[in-house]
Amino acid sequence: MLKWLGGVPFVGLNVLAVLFVGMLLWNYLFPPSPSQQFQTAFGFAPPGDVKNLQAHSYVFGDSAQKWLAFSASPSTIQKIVKLGFKQSKSSYGRAGINQEAPTWWPQQTPNYKAAYYTEFRLKQFSTSEDEWIYWNPSSGQTYYHYDGID
């Protein structure tokens, strides 16, 4: 009498799979704009002094990465740093140098004296998030990298 209910989980799983693939395809075909990615990273729209903004993000499974490159004034960098970034004692960081990095990303960690980072660890869930900012005060050139995994 209720045999048709056996197909409900099958249909439901197929619908979820199609929606998941559709979301991946949508994000690939229509990625967020660089301005949207800047706002997602820092919580505010890029001010007028932010120039040459480039952005790329990569999400796979439970990991995500984001790369931003732009030039900015000291006041914008200070506004970003006040979001919880700490001054690094060195310019070394993970720096987003990997196979998913965009072609405009430097192939070596920028050797800038102004390097800032944040990190978040939640060991019981194997969650890890790192953010790095490299800023050249003389040119204003800035590189930002986010790396997170659940």
Side-chain angles (χ1 to χ4, degrees):
M1 178 165 124
L2 296 175
K3 286 185 178 184
W4 64 272
L5 281 176
V8 171
F10 178 74
V11 171
L13 287 175
N14 283 322
V15 168
L16 286 176
V18 167
L19 288 173
F20 179 74
V21 170
M23 287 188 318
L24 289 176
L25 189 59
W26 180 267
N27 197 33
Y28 179 76
L29 295 174
F30 307 103
S33 72
S35 293
Q36 289 171 320
Q37 292 198 45
F38 183 100
Q39 186 159 0
T40 300
F42 305 124
F44 60 91
D49 68 319
V50 170
K51 305 289 184 210
N52 305 317
L53 178 58
Q54 298 179 77
H56 176 72
S57 59
Y58 176 81
V59 177
F60 184 77
D62 63 350
S63 64
Q65 294 191 60
K66 181 181 298 215
W67 296 264
L68 297 173
F70 54 93
S71 59
S73 69
S75 62
T76 295
I77 297 302
Q78 288 310 309
K79 184 175 180 179
I80 292 170
V81 168
K82 287 180 182 176
L83 297 172
F85 287 85
K86 301 172 203 160
Q87 178 85 42
S88 175
K89 293 185 169 101
S90 72
S91 64
Y92 175 75
R94 294 174 76 179
I97 301 168
N98 58 42
Q99 64 190 20
E100 289 86 21
T103 56
W104 45 261
W105 190 258
Q107 294 304 304
Q108 295 182 335
T109 303
N111 191 16
Y112 294 168
K113 291 187 174 154
Y116 305 92
Y117 72 98
T118 66
E119 58 185 8
F120 173 77
R121 305 279 186 267
L122 197 56
K123 291 181 183 177
Q124 62 264 40
F125 297 111
S126 299
T127 298
S128 168
E129 293 184 5
D130 295 299
E131 294 176 281
W132 281 87
I133 294 175
Y134 301 97
W135 180 57
N136 183 338
S138 61
S139 69
Q141 181 62 46
T142 308
Y143 293 101
Y144 165 84
H145 180 250
Y146 167 86
D147 186 10
I149 189 165
D150 288 333

